[in-house]
Amino acid sequence: MIEEGCDNTDNEKEPTGKEEIQRSNEEEPQAIEKISTGENSVLDASLDESPKKDFPIVGIGASAGGLAAFEAFFSAIPSDTDPGAAFVLVQHLDPNYKSILSDLIRSFTRMPVYEATNWINIEPNCVYIIPPNRDMVLRDGVLQLMEPSQPRGRRLPIDIFFSSLAQDKKERAIGIVLSGTGSDGTKGVQAIKAEGGMVMAQAPESSEYNNMPLSAIATGQVDYVLKPEEMPAQLIAYITYVFGKTHQVTSKFEGLMKNIFNFLHIKTGHDFSHYKYGTINRRVERRMAVRNLDSVNEYVRYLEQKPAEVEALFHDLLIGVTSFFRNPEAYEALQKQVIPCLFAGKYPESSIRVWVPGCSTGEEAYSIAILLQEQMDNLDQNFKIQIFATDIDSKAIEKARSGLYPANIAADMSSERLKRFFTLDSDGYYHIQHNIREMVIFSEQDIIKDPPFSKLDLISCRNLLIYMDKELQKKLIPLFHYALNSGGFLFLGPSENVGEFTNLFDTLDRKSKLYLKKGGASSEYFLSIGTFIPPSMKSEARKPSGNVPVEIRLKLRELTEQAMLQYYAPASVLIDEHGNILYIYGRTGMYLEPASGEVGMNILSMAREGLRSELTTALHRAVINKAPVFHPRVRVKTNGDFTTINLTVRPVERNHDTATWLNLFLVTFEEPLESEQIETEKAISIDAGENTCETDVDVRILKLKKKLQAKEESLKASNEELATSNEELKSANEEMQSVNEELQSTNEELETSREELQSVNEELGTVNIELQNRVAELSQANNDMNNLLAGTGIGTIFVDHQLRIIRFTPPVTRLINLIPSDIGRPVGHIVSNLLGYDRLVEDIKEVLDSLIPKDIEVQTKENTWYLLGIRPYRTLENTIEGAGNYFYGYYRDETGEA
């Protein structure tokens, strides 16, 4: 059992002032961090005070084959139009030669072209080119150069610049990946997308070398895949739409937010209503620019008509920026302060449970698995590691399960870790080692609505909470407290903290965002989640920020509307095109009653006497003509008497809400005005006295004609419905025939599969018999070997490369104190009965290094002499798996002769 203590709690006060400010962006790469220290600090401070320029910056990365792509790109920019953006070219250049790329680019464009120098200010409609043997970053609109932090062959200048571009320009960052080998630019593309920027990639078929474009496209983050000559037109259109004019997206978006959330919820099953509005706004606006739509209303209609766009918006909202050991200082703190504590007090083979929500493509989960494996190696003990890595992005989970990563992960970890835990394949991709992969269990899970894992020792939820609003964060922090074991740890991102829940967590390391679970129950918080998850899709908009009078006015308006509905709105029923009731408003008992038989909610079957025929006809005409239908003075029998009403059936206009994806109709039962009532009563009195006057006969005939006309319309409607039903049945019959053919085909395939399985079963039976024979032979050989070793009387010890005992024979226990439980222990830990000989370990190592057998005379405490023979242990494949030590006993007289 591990006995080390783990009292590392940081009891300092919570930060105040500037320390409490939340940074919504991730830290820059290590190379970028170097520029903010030393002699540059004064200049950095002055730069921070200068306002950022608001024009977009286009970063273009290329490697092999990039020159032809540059020529096609810049030659296609219209000579009479200013793009309105700056262009920064990052090309893989030979560090030993002066670059002439600037001169070449000048021949393709009329824009000024500069080779970048340190601290150069970027201006719009200009081109800047990275010099050889330098990394380059953007900081407050200024280019800064630095010595490459990696040796040649492992440098990733495009990723470094794209990452700094994303952090500096946010949604005004644009990345373009052109021809090249390797995967440089892939991480930069993800960083740009995370900040709401736009990404283009060269069509692979037009690239001389397509590895870089393919790697970028594989992230699923590329907005446009085009040939270089097609990019400028799309780029200028995008810049003109997004940055060339002022949009009022936010105000309109507030009113249509629920619609967009409903589309996402229907299509994906996930709710984004509690994600930060700024994030949603930027991504919706960017999708509108991609689709060339001018208003949010148009985009909502586009979402309704194009389900694929809902999926595209869903993936845009997912932030897939991650890497191995992201923020190395935080992982170093995790390794030193938390990882040893996870093993403290646990016996070997016991479980350690970790949860990584929002795992994306798995780098974070595998990083923690590597740290746990290193700790087990240090302890020389095995534990059952269970890391539950979850995400709502099925594509990301699929990639994480594959454990396959591009070559640029070499920049994220030491070469020792890379060599130890990854295998490089022939395509230049790294595979995670099997023992690390087996620790991690990937699954799709929505942290908002799905139940959490429990009895956890560590939760690592990094850079997920920053995209959620305060209300949702207040639900998730207590949920994490509930899921952790007593003394469990919480690992958050650099811009996240536990907020007001300091009563649930102690701060272990403020800078690295490490927290320790406090004692006490979190049930009062956790139970409240049930009222919040799954989220409701109510039509209420968020409360606008403002003062008290605004809220009062909203309440007065609401009260007024409710009063008007109560006193003036007629009884109404919302139905679908088949008459199924969806919603009832007001008192409808005078017009509808439950039908006998099975319980149902169909308005046609519930209509009272006198209403059914009129209602059936009106509904049919409304469905066919998509127009309101009005039937005045309909007499409905209620409680033995007749009530006169005006019946109206109106189609419900589409407002892009979820419910209106159906064909909905509003049926209203309105009592006629007093003058209409008098006319109706006169008609009834005339009808009652039809035998008193000849003119009454004419009135009766007119009424019968009206009834006949109504019956004819009802019959016509029934015939049309019958024809429609026949067509549907015909279509259904054809589908059933098709399904029947498919089933027959499937049946034939199953029959073939059954025969194949029978054949395989017979083969397996044969193999099983052979294996049984092999086991019997092996058992016999093992018995023969045991008897042979015991019969020779030779003391034998077999050890592996680490000098751990594999096997020994009983005679050797007279020389070395061995018991069966010593198998697996180093041979040097065992006490021997030999006099004057303590070089057994050194002699075995010498034999393993030289592969030359060695013989040594040794003497026991009983004055018995043995010849110790040390031989390499060779397998049938002629590989060395350790060493064999053989003790041959012999007699030696007092003169020392054998």
Side-chain angles (χ1 to χ4, degrees), residues 59-63 89-92 130 135-136 155-164 176-179 183-189 192 212:
I60 307 178
S63 180
L89 276 56
V90 183
Q91 167 87 0
H92 291 182
I130 188 173
D135 284 339
M136 182 169 65
R155 298 174 185 173
L156 303 170
I158 303 174
D159 276 335
I160 291 176
F161 179 74
F162 278 12
S163 297
S164 67
I176 299 178
V177 179
L178 300 178
S179 173
S183 57
D184 193 11
T186 301
K187 288 188 177 180
V189 163
I192 290 173
M212 278 174 46

Side-chain angles (χ1 to χ4, degrees), residues 736-751:
M736 291 300 296
Q737 289 178 348
S738 176
V739 170
N740 186 44
E741 292 175 359
E742 292 177 1
L743 288 174
Q744 288 178 350
S745 176
T746 303
N747 187 44
E748 294 173 359
E749 293 175 0
L750 289 174
E751 185 68 23

Side-chain angles (χ1 to χ4, degrees), residues 549-570:
V550 174
E551 296 179 1
I552 293 177
R553 285 198 296 271
L554 289 176
K555 291 181 179 179
L556 291 176
R557 174 183 174 182
E558 190 175 310
L559 289 173
T560 303
E561 291 175 349
Q562 290 179 355
M564 291 179 68
L565 285 173
Q566 181 177 357
Y567 293 107
Y568 296 100

